[in-house]
Amino acid sequence: MGITQVLFWFLSIMAILAAILVVISKNPVHSVLWLIVVFVAISGHYILLDAQFLAIVNLIVYAGAIMVLFLFVFMLMNLNAETEPQKNRWLKIAGVVTGGALLLVLVAALKKADLKAQIAEMNKGDIGLIHNLGVTLFHDYVVPFEISSVLFLSAMVGVVVIGRNEREQKDMWPHGNNYGA
Amino acid sequence: MMHFDWVLLIEKCVLILIIISVSLLVAMYETLAERKVAAWMQDRRGPSRAGPWGIFQPLADGMKLFAKEEIIPTSSSRLLFVLGPGLAMLTAMMTSAVVPWSSHFVIGGHVVNMQIADVNIGILYIFGVVSMGVYGIMIGGWASNNKFSLLAAIRGASQIISYELAMGISIIALLMMSGTLSLREIVEQQQNGHYYILVQPLGFLIFLICAFAECNRTPFDLSEAENELNFGYHQEYSSMKLGFYLFAEYVNMFISGAVMATLYFGGYDIPFLNDAAWGAHHGQNWLAIFQVVVFFLKIACFIFFFMWVRWTIPRFRYDQLMKLGWNVLIPLALFNMLATGFIVLLHQNHWHF
């Protein structure tokens, strides 16, 4: 086994174990922390596939920013094992059935796919390097890219509009800034 | 076909060892320097008892921290409580991996690059590690199970996230000019005095302010505002775990000085001197040593600047901090990015519209 294989198995086991722990942790904060471990392991996989840019963006955006926001919410709500609401039993069963159905679909789809011909290229291949990614994104797919960025922008504006509280805005500093006055 | 390159492995391990010990040593003496600078600015003497001019003061402080009783609050979550300071220290040290400390040494015909890893996403790697650094504060603050710690941790984390945005946008302008993310290539483009500070002054200013916020230094040390939050996120910490948090801040200062010198001040380039010609005349190894010294002098200037600001400017209020980040720095950075993009495009078009 070369170093690549050792790393692959290590990262895979780490990702799967951490993913299981995300689900079975009682404390939501622990779940989020395990999810960060999953993201780190997946970033490691990206690096093995020579997609360094994707790896680091995955770390910055998902593990670095989005998970911090998740942590904010959980820490401020002070959720823990005792206060976690107990779900309805039928809801649990429905969840298991839906999850199982998804698994079935995925397995059926992958079984048909010709995976033998598409073994991931490790340690060679430069498709994921930033130069090639930039050319693909801003040359071949520039219109879909721009459209999706407009979509993001409109989503952001929508969040600001919904989240703004008119009354609070007015009352916060009635006569300018009189802190400590 | 792939045989393992043992020489490379040993070389890198030695380099990592050297860089980590030097970072720790520098961080140690930064604590002394900070107190000396503070004393100088307030017309005092500063620590002067341990050794001549107090140069053994950091050792004494370290001994004191090690000798203190280790207290883990019973209501805290133990594992995370210990993980917090460790994570803070780890992320602080990891950033140094992509900084080029000097050009290269030639030892027995073997070229030794003074950089641990020249990855082609260099600057993004730093961003990735810095964004992980939030967790050191957040986990520590939450695990302490103390309201003040939690509030301080959330303040610190939201501050770091807010300023990361402006920092990233200010970097984009620089990357448009350099055309590469590799820090070594960025330094090589700046040889012979073509420093990026000359073409990106606004970008540098934004980056500098954000660096202060990322390091949790005054005037942005809202997460340790003692008049509002007692001690901040490390309220419950004692002994060397507290030491790790305090130390991580100094390591961060050192590394962010190194990053700013690399990006905007030519890194290891020796000012007012043609490096390549001097190296050809005096030998590459002497040049490399000289470059390390110059690089560390540049970093020292930044560290002094950090301290100068700390003992000059009072702390911001929290709403002022957020206003500065979102209403001033981000629009400025966006403007800088657009203007730079416009000029780069014009330049590529040979100044024709």
Side-chain angles (χ1 to χ4, degrees), chain B residues 32-139:
Chain B
L32 176 65
E34 173 120 70
R35 294 168 70 180
K36 282 286 188 190
V37 168
W40 177 54
M41 289 186 180
Q42 298 165 349
D43 208 6
R44 293 185 283 116
R45 271 167 186 270
S48 60
R49 296 291 149 158
W53 308 290
I55 56 167
F56 296 130
Q57 187 66 38
L59 292 177
D61 287 344
M63 283 271 277
K64 190 194 85 175
L65 277 175
F66 270 116
K68 290 283 178 183
E69 186 190 352
E70 193 125 13
I71 301 168
I72 298 182
T74 43
S75 60
S76 70
S77 109
R78 272 186 83 87
L79 181 69
L80 293 182
F81 189 78
V82 179
L83 187 69
L87 216 55
M89 199 65 188
L90 181 76
T91 48
M93 304 298 292
M94 267 169 71
T95 334
S96 61
V98 290
V99 176
W101 300 96
S102 174
S103 52
H104 60 269
F105 285 95
V106 180
I107 299 171
H110 186 77
V111 175
V112 182
N113 269 323
M114 284 298 283
Q115 184 182 20
I116 294 173
D118 185 16
V119 287
N120 64 5
I121 44 165
I123 185 68
L124 284 180
Y125 169 84
I126 291 183
F127 270 83
V129 174
V130 166
S131 66
M132 291 285 114
V134 184
Y135 291 116
I137 294 179
M138 277 198 95
I139 291 176

Side-chain angles (χ1 to χ4, degrees), chain B residues 52-329:
Chain B
W53 308 290
I55 56 167
F56 296 130
Q57 187 66 38
L59 292 177
D61 287 344
M63 283 271 277
K64 190 194 85 175
L65 277 175
F66 270 116
K68 290 283 178 183
E69 186 190 352
E70 193 125 13
I71 301 168
I72 298 182
T74 43
S75 60
S76 70
S77 109
R78 272 186 83 87
L79 181 69
L80 293 182
F81 189 78
V82 179
L83 187 69
L87 216 55
M89 199 65 188
L90 181 76
T91 48
M93 304 298 292
M94 267 169 71
T95 334
S96 61
V98 290
V99 176
W101 300 96
S102 174
S103 52
H104 60 269
F105 285 95
V106 180
I107 299 171
H110 186 77
V111 175
V112 182
N113 269 323
M114 284 298 283
Q115 184 182 20
I116 294 173
D118 185 16
V119 287
N120 64 5
I121 44 165
I123 185 68
L124 284 180
Y125 169 84
I126 291 183
F127 270 83
V129 174
V130 166
S131 66
M132 291 285 114
V134 184
Y135 291 116
I137 294 179
M138 277 198 95
I139 291 176
W142 182 76
S144 305
N145 203 5
N146 174 323
K147 281 194 184 70
F148 290 116
S149 300
L150 178 65
L151 281 176
I154 285 173
R155 266 188 176 192
S158 52
Q159 164 190 334
I160 289 176
I161 293 181
S162 310
Y163 279 75
E164 226 167 56
L165 285 174
M167 199 180 204
I169 298 171
S170 74
I171 278 290
I172 289 176
L174 178 77
L175 296 179
M176 280 197 275
M177 312 206 79
S178 71
T180 175
L181 296 175
S182 157
L183 290 178
R184 176 167 288 273
E185 279 174 44
I186 288 176
V187 170
E188 247 137 51
Q189 286 170 358
Q190 298 181 75
Q191 293 295 320
N192 301 326
H194 302 292
Y195 293 172
Y196 278 125
I197 175 77
L198 300 175
V199 287
Q200 281 289 334
L202 184 60
F204 170 68
L205 190 67
I206 297 166
F207 192 92
L208 182 73
I209 295 172
C210 295
F212 273 90
E214 298 286 321
C215 292
N216 272 325
R217 291 284 298 183
T218 327
F220 301 108
D221 61 342
L222 270 286
S223 51
E224 332 176 8
E226 62 270 22
N227 45 1
E228 302 155 23
L229 293 167
N230 293 341
F231 239 133
Y233 59 93
H234 47 60
Q235 164 120 55
E236 301 285 351
Y237 283 89
S238 63
S239 184
M240 209 50 205
K241 288 205 288 299
L242 172 68
F244 259 40
Y245 269 132
L246 302 182
F247 228 59
E249 180 185 318
Y250 285 97
V251 176
N252 274 330
M253 233 162 86
F254 171 60
I255 302 287
S256 59
V259 171
M260 280 188 283
T262 305
L263 290 177
Y264 292 98
F265 286 86
Y268 53 75
D269 176 55
I270 305 166
F272 314 116
L273 189 74
N274 188 342
D275 287 26
W278 198 87
H281 193 249
H282 291 89
Q284 175 63 35
N285 286 350
W286 285 111
L287 175 70
I289 293 173
F290 195 16
Q291 284 174 330
V292 173
V293 173
V294 168
F295 190 44
F296 271 84
L297 281 178
K298 288 178 184 174
I299 298 172
C301 291
F302 275 112
I303 292 174
F304 174 71
F305 187 69
F306 269 102
M307 291 168 182
W308 186 10
V309 169
R310 171 163 181 181
W311 297 105
T312 308
I313 300 177
R315 180 183 297 136
F316 281 133
R317 221 172 46 218
Y318 195 69
D319 61 315
Q320 291 173 331
L321 171 97
M322 283 295 156
K323 266 203 189 105
L324 178 69
W326 289 95
N327 295 355
V328 179
L329 287 182

Side-chain angles (χ1 to χ4, degrees), chain A residues 38-56:
Chain A
V38 176
F39 283 135
V40 171
I42 288 175
S43 283
H45 275 303
Y46 285 144
I47 289 174
L48 279 185
L49 293 167
D50 253 354
Q52 302 177 349
F53 181 72
L54 201 57
I56 206 71

